[in-house]
Amino acid sequence: MLAILLIALAILRPIDHDESQYVAAAILTAHGLIPYRDFAYLQTPLQPYLFAPIAALAGEWTWPALRITNALLGAATIAAVHRAARIGGADTRAATFAAALFATCDILLFSIGTARNDALPAACLALALPAIVRTARDQASRRDAILIGTLLAAAATAKISYALPALTYGIWTLFRADRRPWWTLLGTLPFVALTTALFLQAPEGFLFGVISFPGHAPTEWYQARPWKLSNIAKIIDTLKFLALGPALLAIVATIGRRQRWHLILDLLILAGLIAALAPVPTWRQYLLPMLPALFVRLALVWHAHPPGKAMRIAAVVFACAGLAPTIEAVANGRIPMLDAMRDASAVRQTLDREHVAGPVATLSPQFLPGTASDPRFATGPFYFRSTALLDADQDRQLRLVSHARMHLLGQPPAILTGGEGAWSSGDDRIDTLLATYAIRQGYRAVPVPDTRFTLYVARRASPRPAPHNSP
């Protein structure tokens, strides 16, 4: 029942331009391209490879399939928190109450409601918690140690902010041999091997996507809004995000109440918080790494010290606050994902009608058939809107195009605009730059019927038809 509800919310949630790069990466990887070498990817590499089979099977329905996948991963995350709490000694009521409160956090609901890269690492971290709790209670086996290493390494290989909780757990195991640190390390090896192999194939692309871009791009983009980069804004945003749901209440309720073995949960919470505060600015999904361990702790505290009436009322109030943004987002009477798939179908039909086989330059590759997407735009709008992160030679080497060096775009067979704008939490000005370039280069504008999209077709576009049956 929980999974069905989360899937429904994922289908009803409005489109977000953040999804562009993750949908594109899964599709391009499914077509045999390699992240960092053949296209830029701005995260650690696991998700494109795990989701590529889904993209291959789903075809033109890849985007909603990835949303559904993330919703299911969200259900697994909630279930794992409940399971870890029960293993830790919480009774069914306390564990269920804590897991239900976790499920109302806006941080979680947003993260598992789109085709971003938040749900997979959160699920990996949460699924490791039952074995982590057994280890902390001196009940673990070698298999638990290997499983923990595998899941924490998977989380870090899906999103770099999970590397700090993973490293924290690894250091914690070193203080006692019966925590089996070497068996834990053994579990990490497949993901270390994957990351190393991709790094060796394209070291410059890997370092830029995993380290340089996340560290410098937000600061460059928000220079016109310096308040967003300030520490005051970070504190306000963090408190606001935690208060949209019972996370802030859970922090207050668990302070100073723990048994000795709870230390590792506290360390994981702290590591997740530090990982969330490290980037600027702070967004709600950044706080997700701290929540699974936090709500396991809450269940354990409320089992030992059941909440009073005032605390229960406060929990309900905060839960309602956490649900409010999602209710507001899905209560517009439309089905955004269905609308998006209609738009994608119209784009595909227009490409066929204009005999454009690709590649198509666009800031919204999630609306394109897979074989039509220009790999230089696999990052959606996020690199294109930058100015000075790289120079022209590096752009060419890493297969990227910035609006500051539009001449590197050349004349692709077609350019698609209309997907980047306020309606998708984006910026219309960025799409306008691409449209202006197409007009100046003499492209022919072809409105995509019944959509907000425009296809600009080069005068020398290939005359050969290429039906697009999959994205």
Side-chain angles (χ1 to χ4, degrees):
M1 193 66 182
L2 174 63
I4 293 172
L5 176 60
L6 294 178
I7 289 171
L9 292 176
I11 298 301
L12 292 171
R13 185 173 287 275
I15 303 306
D16 193 295
H17 72 157
D18 277 10
E19 300 176 271
S20 57
Q21 59 178 315
Y22 303 108
V23 176
I27 292 172
L28 291 172
T29 306
H31 283 85
L33 278 69
I34 296 177
Y36 314 116
R37 190 193 74 179
D38 299 326
F39 65 92
Y41 185 60
L42 306 179
Q43 302 285 348
T44 41
L46 180 61
Q47 182 159 307
Y49 281 99
L50 284 188
F51 285 6
I54 298 171
L57 291 172
E60 65 188 46
W61 294 93
T62 292
W63 189 358
L66 294 185
R67 278 198 172 198
I68 291 170
T69 299
N70 281 345
L72 293 173
L73 288 168
T77 303
I78 296 166
V81 166
H82 181 275
R83 178 61 179 159
R86 293 288 289 124
I87 291 173
D91 59 26
T92 301
R93 182 176 181 178
T96 302
F97 194 16
L101 291 176
F102 177 39
T104 67
C105 289
D106 182 55
I107 294 167
L108 174 71
L109 292 172
F110 172 78
S111 300
I112 65 176
T114 60
R116 285 177 42 86
N117 74 326
D118 305 300
L120 175 61
C124 291
L125 174 60
L127 290 168
L129 285 176
I132 289 174
V133 169
R134 280 195 293 269
T135 301
R137 290 166 60 90
D138 302 323
Q139 299 170 354
S141 63
R142 289 178 181 175
R143 190 166 77 174
D144 281 326
I146 294 173
L147 179 64
I148 294 168
T150 300
L151 288 170
L152 293 183
T157 312
K159 189 164 186 174
I160 196 169
S161 59
Y162 286 77
L164 187 55
L167 181 62
T168 298
Y169 179 80
I171 293 173
W172 178 79
T173 65
L174 294 175
F175 286 90
R176 277 179 45 182
D178 61 354
R179 293 171 182 166
R180 298 178 174 85
W182 300 113
W183 289 99
T184 304
L185 180 63
L186 180 64
T188 70
L189 294 183
F191 299 100
V192 172
L194 171 66
T195 303
T196 302
L198 292 170
F199 169 77
L200 292 176
Q201 289 203 44
E204 295 86 0
F206 181 94
L207 290 175
F208 176 73
V210 175
I211 305 296
S212 298
F213 183 89
H216 297 102
T219 302
E220 183 188 71
W221 177 244
Y222 286 100
Q223 280 180 345
R225 289 177 280 172
W227 159 256
K228 197 67 179 172
L229 302 175
S230 69
N231 289 330
I232 301 264
K234 181 183 288 290
I235 293 170
I236 292 172
D237 286 341
T238 299
L239 292 174
K240 175 185 70 176
F241 295 139
L242 291 172
L244 288 173
L248 189 60
L249 180 72
I251 292 172
V252 173
T254 56
I255 288 176
R257 293 182 172 184
R258 66 178 175 88
Q259 298 178 28
R260 185 171 181 176
W261 72 264
H262 294 175
L263 174 63
I264 183 54
L265 297 176
D266 292 336
L267 292 173
L268 291 175
I269 295 166
L270 180 60
L273 179 60
I274 294 172
L277 297 179
V280 289
T282 296
W283 297 110
R284 53 186 161 180
Q285 63 271 16
Y286 294 178
L287 291 157
L288 186 54
M290 68 178 288
L291 295 195
L294 174 62
F295 281 92
V296 173
R297 281 280 283 116
L298 183 65
L300 298 174
V301 168
W302 279 359
H303 170 75
H305 309 279
K309 182 178 180 180
M311 181 64 78
R312 293 196 299 271
I313 292 173
V316 172
V317 170
F318 276 100
C320 291
L323 293 172
T326 294
I327 294 172
E328 180 184 11
V330 305
N332 59 10
R334 300 187 64 85
I335 305 178
M337 198 71 255
L338 182 58
D339 293 341
M341 296 313 297
R342 287 172 179 159
D343 288 349
S345 177
V347 168
R348 187 167 59 253
Q349 292 171 23
T350 303
L351 289 171
D352 290 342
R353 191 164 52 249
E354 295 295 326
H355 309 313
V356 175
V360 179
T362 182
L363 304 183
S364 309
Q366 70 272 32
F367 287 94
L368 282 177
T371 54
S373 181
D374 187 333
R376 294 178 297 173
F377 288 84
T379 62
F382 296 101
Y383 181 76
F384 181 81
R385 70 188 190 183
S386 70
T387 55
L389 298 180
L390 299 172
D391 58 33
D393 289 339
Q394 290 171 316
D395 276 355
R396 292 189 189 95
Q397 179 185 3
L398 302 185
R399 299 173 64 84
L400 286 163
V401 176
S402 162
H403 79 272
R405 291 172 291 280
M406 289 284 285
H407 64 279
L408 296 180
L409 177 56
Q411 287 198 327
I415 295 172
L416 180 70
T417 64
E420 170 69 8
W423 72 279
S424 61
S425 300
D427 191 326
D428 299 90
R429 296 172 300 173
I430 307 300
D431 232 7
T432 299
L433 293 173
L434 202 55
T436 301
Y437 176 86
I439 293 168
R440 289 177 177 173
Q441 294 295 316
Y443 280 65
R444 177 168 52 89
V446 180
V448 178
D450 302 318
T451 74
R452 65 186 81 232
F453 291 88
T454 300
L455 181 70
Y456 294 91
V457 182
R459 300 294 179 180
R460 58 183 178 82
S462 170
R464 294 176 297 173
H468 297 97
N469 296 319
S470 63

